Amino acid sequence: MKSLIDGYHRFREEGYGELAERLRALAEEQHPTKLLITCSDSRVLPDRIVSALPGDLFVIRNAGNIVPPIDECRNGDGGTLEYAVSVLKVRHIIVCGHSNCGAIKAMMHPEELEGLPMVRGWLAHAGLDTTPTRPEGARSLMRLSADELHAEELAEIDRLVERNVLTQLDHLRTHPYVAARLKRDELHLHGWVFDIPEGRIRAYDRGSGEFVEL
Ligand SMILES: [Zn+2]
C-alpha cells in the first residue's frame, strides 16, 4: 500500500495543480464523448495511452474487455454501457484489447480455469469459448516443439486478441440502444489492440479487414 499512498501524495504535490482548473470545471457534470472498453490488466493505462484528460473518456474495464451480447448481459457492465450510450450519448465506443491478454490465454487453456468458476463463467458468458478458431488453434499447437510452441502461441494469442475485439464489437451491436444510435449514425464503433512492450495501438481497418497501426 505504501507505493499507492506515496503516489497519492506525489499527485497532490505535482499532478493535481495542472488538472485543478479542469477538475473544478467538471465538478458538477461530465460530457465524455468516448467510451473505452478495455481489459483490467494492470499494464494497460487507458488515459495515458491516448493522453486523455479528466472528462475525456468514460471507461469500462473487465477481464478480456468483454461485452456480453444483450441476451446474456446481466452484470454491472451492461448498466454502465447503457448509461454511457443512452444518457451520456457517447459518439464513439472503442473496444481495446492488448497483447498477451490473460483472458485470451485462458481461452486457449481452459484447463487452467479449474477452481475459477467466476472466471470460467465470465468467459463463457461472453461466448468466447464458442469461437471456431480456438479449438483449431489449440489442436495445431499440439504438434509443435517447445520453442515453436511458444512462438506459435504468442502469434495465436495476438490473432485471438484481435478476433476477441471484433467479437465484442459484434456483441455491442446486439444492444438495442447501441444499434439504434448506430443506425442514426450518431455512434461509431472502433476496435483497437494495445501492444504492451511497444506501447503502440493497432486499429481495425474495415477496408482491409486488418489491424493496422493507428
Ligand atoms: Zn487482458
Side-chain angles (χ1 to χ4, degrees), residues 148-201:
E148 288 171 329
L149 185 76
H150 184 63
E152 184 70 22
E153 179 153 327
L154 288 177
E156 178 72 353
I157 291 169
D158 272 353
R159 200 175 64 76
L160 286 177
V161 162
E162 292 180 353
R163 186 182 172 87
N164 178 49
V165 166
L166 298 181
T167 298
Q168 303 316 319
L169 292 177
D170 286 342
H171 289 174
L172 275 170
R173 295 185 186 95
T174 68
H175 290 247
Y177 43 91
V178 171
R181 299 201 64 222
L182 284 172
K183 196 172 175 184
R184 295 197 296 268
D185 207 28
E186 295 169 351
L187 180 64
H188 305 277
L189 303 184
H190 312 268
W192 289 2
V193 172
F194 178 60
D195 184 299
I196 289 172
E198 297 297 326
R200 294 182 188 276
I201 292 172

Short mmCIF file of all heavy atoms in Angstrom, two decimals, residues 148-201:
data_model
loop_
_atom_site.label_atom_id
_atom_site.label_comp_id
_atom_site.label_asym_id
_atom_site.label_seq_id
_atom_site.Cartn_x
_atom_site.Cartn_y
_atom_site.Cartn_z
N GLU A 148 8.88 -23.70 -30.72
CA GLU A 148 7.88 -23.39 -31.75
C GLU A 148 6.54 -23.11 -31.10
O GLU A 148 5.80 -22.23 -31.52
CB GLU A 148 7.74 -24.58 -32.71
CG GLU A 148 8.92 -24.76 -33.64
CD GLU A 148 8.83 -26.07 -34.41
OE1 GLU A 148 8.27 -27.05 -33.88
OE2 GLU A 148 9.33 -26.11 -35.53
N LEU A 149 6.28 -23.88 -30.08
CA LEU A 149 5.00 -23.72 -29.38
C LEU A 149 4.88 -22.32 -28.80
O LEU A 149 3.85 -21.67 -28.91
CB LEU A 149 4.89 -24.76 -28.26
CG LEU A 149 3.56 -24.80 -27.53
CD1 LEU A 149 2.51 -25.51 -28.38
CD2 LEU A 149 3.70 -25.51 -26.20
N HIS A 150 6.01 -21.86 -28.20
CA HIS A 150 5.99 -20.54 -27.57
C HIS A 150 5.74 -19.46 -28.62
O HIS A 150 4.88 -18.59 -28.45
CB HIS A 150 7.30 -20.28 -26.84
CG HIS A 150 7.31 -18.98 -26.09
ND1 HIS A 150 6.44 -18.73 -25.04
CD2 HIS A 150 8.06 -17.85 -26.26
CE1 HIS A 150 6.65 -17.49 -24.60
NE2 HIS A 150 7.61 -16.95 -25.32
N ALA A 151 6.52 -19.52 -29.72
CA ALA A 151 6.35 -18.52 -30.79
C ALA A 151 4.95 -18.60 -31.38
O ALA A 151 4.30 -17.59 -31.62
CB ALA A 151 7.40 -18.73 -31.87
N GLU A 152 4.54 -19.85 -31.60
CA GLU A 152 3.22 -20.04 -32.21
C GLU A 152 2.11 -19.56 -31.26
O GLU A 152 1.14 -18.97 -31.69
CB GLU A 152 3.04 -21.53 -32.52
CG GLU A 152 1.76 -21.87 -33.25
CD GLU A 152 1.75 -21.35 -34.68
OE1 GLU A 152 2.83 -21.11 -35.26
OE2 GLU A 152 0.65 -21.18 -35.21
N GLU A 153 2.34 -19.83 -29.99
CA GLU A 153 1.31 -19.44 -29.03
C GLU A 153 1.19 -17.92 -28.95
O GLU A 153 0.09 -17.38 -28.89
CB GLU A 153 1.62 -20.02 -27.64
CG GLU A 153 0.57 -19.60 -26.61
CD GLU A 153 0.42 -20.59 -25.47
OE1 GLU A 153 0.58 -21.80 -25.72
OE2 GLU A 153 0.13 -20.15 -24.36
N LEU A 154 2.35 -17.21 -28.98
CA LEU A 154 2.28 -15.74 -28.95
C LEU A 154 1.54 -15.21 -30.17
O LEU A 154 0.73 -14.29 -30.07
CB LEU A 154 3.70 -15.15 -28.89
CG LEU A 154 4.43 -15.31 -27.56
CD1 LEU A 154 5.84 -14.73 -27.66
CD2 LEU A 154 3.66 -14.64 -26.42
N ALA A 155 1.83 -15.81 -31.33
CA ALA A 155 1.15 -15.38 -32.56
C ALA A 155 -0.34 -15.70 -32.47
O ALA A 155 -1.19 -14.91 -32.90
CB ALA A 155 1.77 -16.06 -33.78
N GLU A 156 -0.63 -16.87 -31.90
CA GLU A 156 -2.03 -17.27 -31.76
C GLU A 156 -2.78 -16.35 -30.79
O GLU A 156 -3.92 -15.97 -31.02
CB GLU A 156 -2.10 -18.73 -31.28
CG GLU A 156 -3.50 -19.27 -31.05
CD GLU A 156 -4.28 -19.53 -32.34
OE1 GLU A 156 -3.77 -19.17 -33.42
OE2 GLU A 156 -5.38 -20.07 -32.25
N ILE A 157 -2.08 -15.98 -29.69
CA ILE A 157 -2.70 -15.05 -28.74
C ILE A 157 -3.02 -13.73 -29.46
O ILE A 157 -4.12 -13.20 -29.33
CB ILE A 157 -1.78 -14.79 -27.52
CG1 ILE A 157 -1.67 -16.06 -26.67
CG2 ILE A 157 -2.32 -13.65 -26.66
CD1 ILE A 157 -0.58 -15.98 -25.61
N ASP A 158 -2.03 -13.22 -30.23
CA ASP A 158 -2.25 -11.96 -30.97
C ASP A 158 -3.49 -12.07 -31.86
O ASP A 158 -4.32 -11.16 -31.91
CB ASP A 158 -1.04 -11.64 -31.86
CG ASP A 158 0.01 -10.85 -31.12
OD1 ASP A 158 -0.25 -10.44 -29.97
OD2 ASP A 158 1.10 -10.65 -31.69
N ARG A 159 -3.57 -13.18 -32.58
CA ARG A 159 -4.69 -13.37 -33.50
C ARG A 159 -6.02 -13.43 -32.73
O ARG A 159 -7.01 -12.83 -33.13
CB ARG A 159 -4.47 -14.67 -34.29
CG ARG A 159 -5.26 -14.77 -35.57
CD ARG A 159 -4.87 -16.03 -36.33
NE ARG A 159 -5.21 -17.23 -35.58
CZ ARG A 159 -6.44 -17.70 -35.48
NH1 ARG A 159 -7.43 -17.07 -36.07
NH2 ARG A 159 -6.68 -18.80 -34.80
N LEU A 160 -6.01 -14.16 -31.62
CA LEU A 160 -7.24 -14.29 -30.85
C LEU A 160 -7.61 -12.99 -30.13
O LEU A 160 -8.80 -12.69 -29.96
CB LEU A 160 -7.12 -15.43 -29.83
CG LEU A 160 -7.19 -16.83 -30.44
CD1 LEU A 160 -6.97 -17.89 -29.36
CD2 LEU A 160 -8.52 -17.07 -31.14
N VAL A 161 -6.59 -12.22 -29.73
CA VAL A 161 -6.88 -10.92 -29.12
C VAL A 161 -7.64 -10.05 -30.14
O VAL A 161 -8.64 -9.42 -29.81
CB VAL A 161 -5.57 -10.23 -28.67
CG1 VAL A 161 -5.77 -8.73 -28.45
CG2 VAL A 161 -5.04 -10.88 -27.39
N GLU A 162 -7.15 -10.04 -31.38
CA GLU A 162 -7.83 -9.26 -32.43
C GLU A 162 -9.23 -9.80 -32.67
O GLU A 162 -10.20 -9.05 -32.77
CB GLU A 162 -7.01 -9.30 -33.73
CG GLU A 162 -5.69 -8.55 -33.62
CD GLU A 162 -4.89 -8.60 -34.91
OE1 GLU A 162 -5.29 -9.32 -35.85
OE2 GLU A 162 -3.84 -7.92 -34.98
N ARG A 163 -9.32 -11.13 -32.75
CA ARG A 163 -10.63 -11.74 -33.01
C ARG A 163 -11.62 -11.41 -31.88
O ARG A 163 -12.80 -11.13 -32.10
CB ARG A 163 -10.48 -13.25 -33.15
CG ARG A 163 -11.76 -13.91 -33.56
CD ARG A 163 -11.61 -15.42 -33.67
NE ARG A 163 -12.93 -16.00 -33.89
CZ ARG A 163 -13.46 -16.16 -35.08
NH1 ARG A 163 -12.80 -15.78 -36.15
NH2 ARG A 163 -14.67 -16.67 -35.21
N ASN A 164 -11.10 -11.45 -30.65
CA ASN A 164 -11.95 -11.15 -29.50
C ASN A 164 -12.48 -9.71 -29.57
O ASN A 164 -13.66 -9.46 -29.29
CB ASN A 164 -11.15 -11.36 -28.20
CG ASN A 164 -11.98 -11.00 -26.97
OD1 ASN A 164 -13.12 -11.44 -26.83
ND2 ASN A 164 -11.41 -10.21 -26.09
N VAL A 165 -11.64 -8.79 -29.98
CA VAL A 165 -12.09 -7.40 -30.12
C VAL A 165 -13.25 -7.32 -31.12
O VAL A 165 -14.27 -6.68 -30.86
CB VAL A 165 -10.91 -6.49 -30.56
CG1 VAL A 165 -11.42 -5.14 -31.04
CG2 VAL A 165 -9.93 -6.31 -29.41
N LEU A 166 -13.10 -8.01 -32.24
CA LEU A 166 -14.16 -7.97 -33.26
C LEU A 166 -15.43 -8.65 -32.74
O LEU A 166 -16.55 -8.20 -33.02
CB LEU A 166 -13.68 -8.63 -34.55
CG LEU A 166 -12.47 -7.95 -35.22
CD1 LEU A 166 -12.09 -8.68 -36.51
CD2 LEU A 166 -12.75 -6.47 -35.50
N THR A 167 -15.25 -9.74 -31.97
CA THR A 167 -16.42 -10.42 -31.38
C THR A 167 -17.17 -9.47 -30.46
O THR A 167 -18.41 -9.40 -30.48
CB THR A 167 -15.96 -11.66 -30.59
OG1 THR A 167 -15.34 -12.57 -31.49
CG2 THR A 167 -17.14 -12.35 -29.91
N GLN A 168 -16.40 -8.72 -29.66
CA GLN A 168 -17.07 -7.81 -28.72
C GLN A 168 -17.76 -6.65 -29.46
O GLN A 168 -18.80 -6.17 -29.01
CB GLN A 168 -16.08 -7.28 -27.68
CG GLN A 168 -15.36 -8.38 -26.89
CD GLN A 168 -16.27 -9.49 -26.42
OE1 GLN A 168 -17.40 -9.24 -25.99
NE2 GLN A 168 -15.82 -10.72 -26.51
N LEU A 169 -17.21 -6.23 -30.58
CA LEU A 169 -17.90 -5.21 -31.39
C LEU A 169 -19.22 -5.77 -31.90
O LEU A 169 -20.24 -5.08 -31.92
CB LEU A 169 -17.02 -4.75 -32.56
CG LEU A 169 -15.77 -3.95 -32.18
CD1 LEU A 169 -14.96 -3.63 -33.44
CD2 LEU A 169 -16.12 -2.66 -31.44
N ASP A 170 -19.20 -7.05 -32.31
CA ASP A 170 -20.46 -7.69 -32.74
C ASP A 170 -21.45 -7.74 -31.58
O ASP A 170 -22.64 -7.50 -31.76
CB ASP A 170 -20.19 -9.12 -33.24
CG ASP A 170 -19.52 -9.12 -34.61
OD1 ASP A 170 -19.58 -8.08 -35.30
OD2 ASP A 170 -18.95 -10.16 -34.97
N HIS A 171 -20.95 -8.09 -30.39
CA HIS A 171 -21.84 -8.14 -29.22
C HIS A 171 -22.46 -6.78 -28.94
O HIS A 171 -23.64 -6.68 -28.59
CB HIS A 171 -21.07 -8.61 -27.98
CG HIS A 171 -20.70 -10.06 -28.02
ND1 HIS A 171 -19.91 -10.65 -27.08
CD2 HIS A 171 -21.01 -11.05 -28.90
CE1 HIS A 171 -19.74 -11.94 -27.37
NE2 HIS A 171 -20.40 -12.19 -28.47
N LEU A 172 -21.66 -5.73 -29.08
CA LEU A 172 -22.18 -4.37 -28.84
C LEU A 172 -23.38 -4.09 -29.73
O LEU A 172 -24.36 -3.47 -29.29
CB LEU A 172 -21.09 -3.34 -29.13
CG LEU A 172 -20.11 -3.01 -28.01
CD1 LEU A 172 -18.96 -2.17 -28.55
CD2 LEU A 172 -20.81 -2.27 -26.88
N ARG A 173 -23.31 -4.56 -30.97
CA ARG A 173 -24.39 -4.26 -31.93
C ARG A 173 -25.70 -4.96 -31.56
O ARG A 173 -26.75 -4.62 -32.08
CB ARG A 173 -23.97 -4.66 -33.35
CG ARG A 173 -22.80 -3.85 -33.88
CD ARG A 173 -22.49 -4.19 -35.35
NE ARG A 173 -21.28 -3.50 -35.79
CZ ARG A 173 -20.06 -4.05 -35.79
NH1 ARG A 173 -19.90 -5.31 -35.39
NH2 ARG A 173 -19.01 -3.36 -36.18
N THR A 174 -25.64 -5.97 -30.67
CA THR A 174 -26.87 -6.65 -30.25
C THR A 174 -27.63 -5.85 -29.20
O THR A 174 -28.77 -6.17 -28.90
CB THR A 174 -26.57 -8.06 -29.66
OG1 THR A 174 -25.88 -7.92 -28.40
CG2 THR A 174 -25.75 -8.91 -30.62
N HIS A 175 -27.00 -4.81 -28.64
CA HIS A 175 -27.67 -3.99 -27.63
C HIS A 175 -28.53 -2.97 -28.36
O HIS A 175 -28.00 -2.16 -29.15
CB HIS A 175 -26.64 -3.30 -26.73
CG HIS A 175 -25.92 -4.27 -25.83
ND1 HIS A 175 -26.07 -4.27 -24.46
CD2 HIS A 175 -25.07 -5.31 -26.11
CE1 HIS A 175 -25.34 -5.25 -23.94
NE2 HIS A 175 -24.73 -5.88 -24.92
N PRO A 176 -29.84 -2.98 -28.11
CA PRO A 176 -30.74 -2.15 -28.94
C PRO A 176 -30.43 -0.66 -28.90
O PRO A 176 -30.55 0.03 -29.92
CB PRO A 176 -32.14 -2.44 -28.37
CG PRO A 176 -31.92 -3.17 -27.09
CD PRO A 176 -30.58 -3.80 -27.14
N TYR A 177 -30.01 -0.15 -27.74
CA TYR A 177 -29.71 1.28 -27.66
C TYR A 177 -28.45 1.60 -28.46
O TYR A 177 -28.30 2.71 -28.99
CB TYR A 177 -29.57 1.73 -26.19
CG TYR A 177 -28.79 0.77 -25.34
CD1 TYR A 177 -27.42 0.88 -25.19
CD2 TYR A 177 -29.43 -0.30 -24.70
CE1 TYR A 177 -26.70 -0.02 -24.42
CE2 TYR A 177 -28.72 -1.21 -23.94
CZ TYR A 177 -27.37 -1.07 -23.81
OH TYR A 177 -26.65 -1.97 -23.07
N VAL A 178 -27.52 0.64 -28.57
CA VAL A 178 -26.34 0.82 -29.43
C VAL A 178 -26.77 0.76 -30.89
O VAL A 178 -26.42 1.65 -31.70
CB VAL A 178 -25.27 -0.27 -29.14
CG1 VAL A 178 -24.16 -0.23 -30.18
CG2 VAL A 178 -24.70 -0.09 -27.73
N ALA A 179 -27.56 -0.26 -31.23
CA ALA A 179 -27.98 -0.45 -32.63
C ALA A 179 -28.75 0.77 -33.13
O ALA A 179 -28.55 1.22 -34.27
CB ALA A 179 -28.83 -1.71 -32.74
N ALA A 180 -29.61 1.32 -32.27
CA ALA A 180 -30.44 2.46 -32.69
C ALA A 180 -29.56 3.66 -33.01
O ALA A 180 -29.76 4.35 -34.02
CB ALA A 180 -31.44 2.80 -31.59
N ARG A 181 -28.57 3.91 -32.18
CA ARG A 181 -27.72 5.09 -32.41
C ARG A 181 -26.75 4.85 -33.57
O ARG A 181 -26.38 5.79 -34.27
CB ARG A 181 -26.99 5.49 -31.13
CG ARG A 181 -27.99 5.88 -30.01
CD ARG A 181 -27.37 6.73 -28.94
NE ARG A 181 -26.94 8.00 -29.46
CZ ARG A 181 -25.79 8.59 -29.15
NH1 ARG A 181 -24.97 8.00 -28.32
NH2 ARG A 181 -25.47 9.74 -29.66
N LEU A 182 -26.34 3.59 -33.77
CA LEU A 182 -25.51 3.28 -34.94
C LEU A 182 -26.30 3.56 -36.22
O LEU A 182 -25.78 4.13 -37.17
CB LEU A 182 -25.10 1.80 -34.92
CG LEU A 182 -23.98 1.40 -33.95
CD1 LEU A 182 -23.84 -0.12 -33.93
CD2 LEU A 182 -22.65 2.05 -34.33
N LYS A 183 -27.55 3.13 -36.21
CA LYS A 183 -28.41 3.29 -37.39
C LYS A 183 -28.58 4.77 -37.75
O LYS A 183 -28.62 5.14 -38.92
CB LYS A 183 -29.78 2.65 -37.11
CG LYS A 183 -30.61 2.38 -38.33
CD LYS A 183 -31.85 1.59 -37.98
CE LYS A 183 -32.75 1.43 -39.20
NZ LYS A 183 -34.01 0.75 -38.85
N ARG A 184 -28.65 5.60 -36.73
CA ARG A 184 -28.82 7.05 -36.97
C ARG A 184 -27.47 7.74 -37.20
O ARG A 184 -27.41 8.97 -37.26
CB ARG A 184 -29.54 7.69 -35.78
CG ARG A 184 -30.98 7.20 -35.59
CD ARG A 184 -31.77 8.13 -34.68
NE ARG A 184 -31.24 8.17 -33.33
CZ ARG A 184 -31.65 7.38 -32.33
NH1 ARG A 184 -32.61 6.50 -32.55
NH2 ARG A 184 -31.12 7.47 -31.13
N ASP A 185 -26.40 6.95 -37.24
CA ASP A 185 -25.05 7.50 -37.46
C ASP A 185 -24.63 8.45 -36.34
O ASP A 185 -23.85 9.38 -36.55
CB ASP A 185 -24.99 8.22 -38.82
CG ASP A 185 -23.57 8.22 -39.40
OD1 ASP A 185 -22.81 7.28 -39.09
OD2 ASP A 185 -23.22 9.18 -40.12
N GLU A 186 -25.18 8.19 -35.16
CA GLU A 186 -24.82 9.02 -34.01
C GLU A 186 -23.72 8.37 -33.17
O GLU A 186 -23.26 8.95 -32.18
CB GLU A 186 -26.06 9.23 -33.12
CG GLU A 186 -27.15 10.03 -33.80
CD GLU A 186 -28.46 10.01 -33.03
OE1 GLU A 186 -28.60 9.26 -32.05
OE2 GLU A 186 -29.37 10.77 -33.44
N LEU A 187 -23.36 7.15 -33.56
CA LEU A 187 -22.40 6.38 -32.77
C LEU A 187 -21.50 5.60 -33.73
O LEU A 187 -21.98 5.12 -34.77
CB LEU A 187 -23.17 5.41 -31.86
CG LEU A 187 -22.37 4.50 -30.93
CD1 LEU A 187 -21.60 5.32 -29.89
CD2 LEU A 187 -23.30 3.53 -30.21
N HIS A 188 -20.23 5.49 -33.36
CA HIS A 188 -19.28 4.77 -34.20
C HIS A 188 -18.49 3.80 -33.34
O HIS A 188 -18.10 4.14 -32.21
CB HIS A 188 -18.34 5.76 -34.89
CG HIS A 188 -19.09 6.80 -35.68
ND1 HIS A 188 -19.54 6.58 -36.95
CD2 HIS A 188 -19.53 8.03 -35.33
CE1 HIS A 188 -20.20 7.64 -37.38
NE2 HIS A 188 -20.21 8.54 -36.40
N LEU A 189 -18.25 2.60 -33.86
CA LEU A 189 -17.52 1.57 -33.12
C LEU A 189 -16.11 1.42 -33.68
O LEU A 189 -15.90 1.51 -34.89
CB LEU A 189 -18.25 0.23 -33.22
CG LEU A 189 -19.70 0.20 -32.76
CD1 LEU A 189 -20.25 -1.23 -32.83
CD2 LEU A 189 -19.84 0.74 -31.34
N HIS A 190 -15.17 1.17 -32.78
CA HIS A 190 -13.77 1.04 -33.17
C HIS A 190 -13.14 -0.15 -32.43
O HIS A 190 -13.45 -0.37 -31.25
CB HIS A 190 -12.98 2.30 -32.81
CG HIS A 190 -13.66 3.57 -33.25
ND1 HIS A 190 -13.39 4.16 -34.47
CD2 HIS A 190 -14.60 4.34 -32.65
CE1 HIS A 190 -14.13 5.26 -34.60
NE2 HIS A 190 -14.87 5.39 -33.50
N GLY A 191 -12.26 -0.86 -33.11
CA GLY A 191 -11.55 -1.97 -32.49
C GLY A 191 -10.06 -1.69 -32.44
O GLY A 191 -9.45 -1.40 -33.48
N TRP A 192 -9.48 -1.74 -31.27
CA TRP A 192 -8.06 -1.45 -31.09
C TRP A 192 -7.39 -2.61 -30.34
O TRP A 192 -8.03 -3.34 -29.58
CB TRP A 192 -7.84 -0.21 -30.22
CG TRP A 192 -8.17 1.11 -30.84
CD1 TRP A 192 -8.70 1.35 -32.08
CD2 TRP A 192 -8.01 2.40 -30.22
NE1 TRP A 192 -8.87 2.70 -32.27
CE2 TRP A 192 -8.45 3.37 -31.14
CE3 TRP A 192 -7.53 2.81 -28.99
CZ2 TRP A 192 -8.43 4.73 -30.85
CZ3 TRP A 192 -7.51 4.17 -28.69
CH2 TRP A 192 -7.95 5.12 -29.62
N VAL A 193 -6.07 -2.71 -30.55
CA VAL A 193 -5.24 -3.61 -29.73
C VAL A 193 -4.01 -2.82 -29.29
O VAL A 193 -3.32 -2.22 -30.12
CB VAL A 193 -4.81 -4.87 -30.50
CG1 VAL A 193 -3.80 -5.67 -29.68
CG2 VAL A 193 -6.03 -5.74 -30.84
N PHE A 194 -3.75 -2.82 -27.99
CA PHE A 194 -2.57 -2.13 -27.43
C PHE A 194 -1.45 -3.14 -27.26
O PHE A 194 -1.62 -4.16 -26.59
CB PHE A 194 -2.93 -1.50 -26.08
CG PHE A 194 -1.77 -0.82 -25.40
CD1 PHE A 194 -1.11 0.24 -25.99
CD2 PHE A 194 -1.34 -1.24 -24.14
CE1 PHE A 194 -0.05 0.87 -25.36
CE2 PHE A 194 -0.29 -0.61 -23.50
CZ PHE A 194 0.36 0.45 -24.11
N ASP A 195 -0.31 -2.85 -27.90
CA ASP A 195 0.88 -3.69 -27.77
C ASP A 195 1.66 -3.21 -26.55
O ASP A 195 2.21 -2.11 -26.56
CB ASP A 195 1.73 -3.58 -29.04
CG ASP A 195 2.92 -4.52 -28.99
OD1 ASP A 195 3.76 -4.36 -28.07
OD2 ASP A 195 3.02 -5.40 -29.85
N ILE A 196 1.69 -4.03 -25.50
CA ILE A 196 2.26 -3.57 -24.23
C ILE A 196 3.75 -3.23 -24.34
O ILE A 196 4.14 -2.11 -24.01
CB ILE A 196 2.00 -4.61 -23.12
CG1 ILE A 196 0.51 -4.60 -22.77
CG2 ILE A 196 2.83 -4.32 -21.87
CD1 ILE A 196 0.06 -5.69 -21.84
N PRO A 197 4.62 -4.14 -24.82
CA PRO A 197 6.05 -3.78 -24.81
C PRO A 197 6.38 -2.63 -25.75
O PRO A 197 7.30 -1.85 -25.48
CB PRO A 197 6.76 -5.07 -25.24
CG PRO A 197 5.72 -5.90 -25.89
CD PRO A 197 4.42 -5.54 -25.24
N GLU A 198 5.65 -2.49 -26.87
CA GLU A 198 5.97 -1.44 -27.84
C GLU A 198 5.23 -0.14 -27.56
O GLU A 198 5.57 0.91 -28.13
CB GLU A 198 5.62 -1.92 -29.27
CG GLU A 198 6.42 -3.12 -29.73
CD GLU A 198 7.92 -2.83 -29.80
OE1 GLU A 198 8.27 -1.68 -30.14
OE2 GLU A 198 8.71 -3.73 -29.49
N GLY A 199 4.18 -0.21 -26.73
CA GLY A 199 3.40 0.99 -26.46
C GLY A 199 2.67 1.51 -27.69
O GLY A 199 2.44 2.70 -27.83
N ARG A 200 2.32 0.60 -28.61
CA ARG A 200 1.66 1.01 -29.85
C ARG A 200 0.23 0.47 -29.90
O ARG A 200 -0.06 -0.58 -29.32
CB ARG A 200 2.41 0.47 -31.07
CG ARG A 200 3.79 1.06 -31.25
CD ARG A 200 4.44 0.49 -32.50
NE ARG A 200 5.84 0.88 -32.61
CZ ARG A 200 6.25 2.04 -33.13
NH1 ARG A 200 5.36 2.89 -33.61
NH2 ARG A 200 7.53 2.35 -33.17
N ILE A 201 -0.63 1.19 -30.63
CA ILE A 201 -2.01 0.76 -30.82
C ILE A 201 -2.21 0.38 -32.28
O ILE A 201 -1.82 1.13 -33.18
CB ILE A 201 -3.00 1.87 -30.43
CG1 ILE A 201 -2.96 2.11 -28.91
CG2 ILE A 201 -4.43 1.51 -30.86
CD1 ILE A 201 -3.77 3.31 -28.45
#
